[in-house]
Amino acid sequence: MRSHEDLIREIAAGNQHSFKILYEAYKTQTFNTALGLVQNRQEAEEITQDVFIEVYKHAAGFKFQSSVGTWLYRMTINRSLDALRHRKRSKRFAFFISLFKQDSLEINAEKPDFIHPGVIIENKEKSAFLFKAIDQLPENQKTAFVLSQVELLPQKEISVIMNMSEKAVESLLQRAKTNLRSKLEKFYPERRKS
Amino acid sequence: MEKEKWKDEVLESLAGIKPAEPGQFLFTRIEARLQEKTNLSVLQVRLAAACMILLIAFNLWVVTTRYRAEITQNSITTTYQF
């Protein structure tokens, strides 16, 4: 059985069949990570496409300094965070335009709640609040939390992907949880308030 | 305390999560995009080659036109001298 590094070498030589095998091996990891970060199925599929096109284009330049899996995780995270920054800029621009146009569409409409398809049924409602809060985390905390809780990666692997020490990852996750608790404050359902 | 309990439950709501799968035709779309990029590259090369040929042809035309004009000018000058 060929290693994934061998597949990369074959893809670099133009082997389409090896590219398909690599895609099948990493499509779930790539899509699931992107989905956890961007919280939109269509965008996550676009990002997955972009990542594999990058793999195809740059297979020849891959230096094997990291594993293939780590390389794909990094590309996915970078593209997902780029998409989120672009989304933020578009929102700001739309808001700025709305200040000058009287008939502009409502741009402050909240995006629909994101429900991850893999969450178990009884947890779907609560997970929607969690993803809303995750969306407001700083990039590093968001990345670490998604890799840990959505991709279910151990801290050791997260530290390699994010290029930081395990202690730094542990600290990021702690801060993420503290931050999430504070953000969940405003999502606490009204009817429950005592 | 009910609020804190609720927060704990929310933070635990991803327990047992399964990974999401992309659509079954995603690889087909990737292949189509790669094919599009290949076609575009061939087109770009052809376009660049066509531009170069046009540029060289134009320069040749300018040079030969000026050369002919100079020859005509010289022969008129020569005629007037006699």
Side-chain angles (χ1 to χ4, degrees):
Chain A
M1 198 169 96
R2 276 122 76 214
S3 69
H4 293 166
E5 285 72 21
D6 286 339
L7 288 175
I8 293 290
R9 287 185 195 97
E10 287 162 15
I11 291 166
N15 190 323
Q16 297 283 345
H17 180 65
S18 300
F19 182 55
K20 178 86 204 279
I21 297 173
L22 192 87
Y23 169 79
E24 291 297 331
Y26 287 106
K27 65 179 183 183
T28 306
Q29 158 191 314
T30 308
F31 178 74
N32 197 45
T33 304
L35 189 64
L37 288 168
V38 300
Q39 299 184 20
N40 178 286
R41 187 173 184 92
Q42 203 177 339
E43 268 192 276
E45 288 202 338
E46 282 292 321
I47 289 164
T48 306
Q49 288 183 52
D50 291 346
V51 165
F52 281 98
I53 286 169
E54 281 295 302
V55 166
Y56 192 84
K57 277 165 60 177
H58 296 122
F62 184 54
K63 303 264 184 285
F64 302 97
Q65 286 169 352
S66 67
S67 72
V68 175
T70 298
W71 183 40
L72 266 96
Y73 268 124
R74 286 177 183 160
M75 280 197 283
T76 307
I77 290 163
N78 288 337
R79 286 192 173 271
S80 300
L81 295 179
D82 280 345
L84 288 171
R85 287 176 207 131
H86 178 78
R87 199 192 281 171
K88 229 185 209 173
R89 279 197 301 271
S90 302
K91 247 192 197 166
R92 259 189 241 130
F93 181 72
F95 175 74
F96 179 71
I97 295 295
S98 76
L99 295 175
F100 297 96
K101 287 177 76 173
Q102 281 184 319
D103 57 348
S104 62
L105 292 169
E106 175 58 59
I107 46 90
N108 285 327
E110 294 225 340
K111 67 177 179 99
D113 288 349
F114 170 68
I115 310 255
H116 189 287
V119 168
I120 62 178
I121 298 174
E122 43 267 43
N123 288 344
K124 282 196 189 289
E125 194 188 327
K126 291 200 172 86
S127 74
F129 290 115
L130 180 58
F131 275 105
K132 243 189 191 163
I134 290 170
D135 198 38
Q136 295 176 19
L137 288 176
E139 286 182 356
N140 262 355
Q141 290 177 25
K142 184 184 295 186
T143 303
F145 193 82
V146 166
L147 289 177
S148 166
Q149 301 297 308
V150 179
E151 269 296 285
L152 307 176
L153 296 181
Q155 286 186 18
K156 187 179 167 75
E157 197 169 343
I158 297 173
S159 71
V160 170
I161 292 165
M162 294 184 71
N163 203 23
M164 50 176 68
S165 67
E166 274 185 68
K167 266 251 168 266
V169 170
E170 193 183 333
S171 160
L172 262 183
L173 287 170
Q174 261 316 113
R175 280 186 278 141
K177 285 186 181 135
T178 308
N179 240 331
L180 286 169
R181 291 196 82 92
S182 128
K183 288 181 193 308
L184 285 172
E185 195 69 38
K186 60 177 180 280
F187 297 139
Y188 185 62
E190 285 289 326
R191 59 183 165 79
R192 289 192 188 200
K193 278 184 182 166
S194 48
Chain B
M1 279 303 111
E2 207 183 303
K3 193 191 271 188
E4 292 308 309
K5 186 168 171 283
W6 176 82
K7 286 184 191 177
D8 289 337
E9 287 167 3
V10 169
L11 285 168
E12 292 299 315
S13 62
L14 299 186
I17 189 172
K18 296 265 185 302
E21 297 284 340
Q24 56 176 313
F25 299 112
L26 198 65
F27 189 71
T28 312
R29 284 168 21 215
I30 291 169
E31 282 184 307
R33 277 177 65 179
L34 284 170
Q35 189 57 39
E36 201 181 293
K37 280 188 190 299
T38 312
N39 291 345
L40 261 174
S41 304
V42 166
L43 186 65
Q44 281 169 337
V45 166
R46 285 180 184 168
L47 219 56
C51 286
M52 266 180 59
I53 290 168
L54 267 169
L55 204 61
I56 292 167
F58 180 71
N59 279 328
L60 275 171
W61 177 78
V62 166
V63 165
T64 49
T65 308
R66 282 193 69 177
Y67 180 66
R68 277 197 214 116
E70 275 174 22
I71 289 179
T72 311
Q73 185 62 36
N74 286 342
S75 62
I76 292 169
T77 313
T78 311
T79 309
Y80 275 118
Q81 274 178 359
F82 291 104

